[in-house]
Amino acid sequence: MRKMKVAKTDFTKESLPQNRFEVFTDVFKIRFRTLTQIGLFLLLFLIPFFIVRLMQFSTLITLSSELSTSSITEEEFQASYISIKIITNLLNIITLMIASVGFAGGMKVIRRLAWGEPVFFKEDFISGIKQNAKRYVLFAFILGLFNFLNQYVNYSPISNQFVKGIPFGIFFVIIVPTFLIIFARTPIYNEKLGQSFKHSFLLYVKTLPKTALASLIMYSIFLLNLINNLTVWMFSFIIYVIVLLPLFLLGYFLYCGWMFDKYINATFYPEIVDKGLYRD
């Protein structure tokens, strides 16, 4: 039987979170175990992505070895490299769709943590999947398709680097931040798909500097692509998903909470303004 911990000080109203930074620190201190549970379940749904990435790694290592021993020419290496990258990004449309099911459940738990609501992990995770998995899968398909097209143009024979950079810029500067907002608002609002896309994009435009900066935190996963050692990448990916990703999702959701309160909730849903906060 686990021993109950006793607080060192008596409970007071002042100890309740009065801003979203305090919510973040409280959840980190008190519900870190729940956050790692979210990470473990996200890792489970990311296994197909993990496997595809491992296959890409091992294949590229084999190709590099063959190139170093002159078993293949530089031209053959480049052709195979591009083919592997394109096939990987095509497969990742499917792996992202599978992963999005886990994110549907995880974001439901994140919302309850951010709003200071009781969390019954298994029930809330499954409930989130039942409520929002279809939408998350659709969003993941669209996002994965955009990513595939972006990478396809990147590896195309187009010689003009500026032209190649246009899809890259659109994807990372406009599409991804808009979809991050969509992912954050889906567990909160019941709205039509068209409204979700439209309102998320308009919110992004209205809050462009701050939201772009917040999006950079979520882009941190792309730093893993800089790791060339397979073993190091494996351990880094697992640690990132279990420990860091739930924290980043919580932080981004709390930021979106401020944004939603200012531009949506204050007018249309006053009952959830400052949800989870205890301001004086």
Side-chain angles (χ1 to χ4, degrees), residues 203-216 255:
L203 275 177
Y204 175 55
V205 172
K206 287 180 180 179
T207 60
L208 188 56
K210 291 181 179 179
T211 302
L213 185 61
S215 299
L216 288 177
Y255 165 76

Side-chain angles (χ1 to χ4, degrees), residues 45-56:
F45 283 90
L46 280 164
I47 286 176
F49 174 86
F50 187 79
I51 292 173
V52 169
R53 183 64 170 166
L54 288 181
M55 291 172 59
Q56 176 185 294

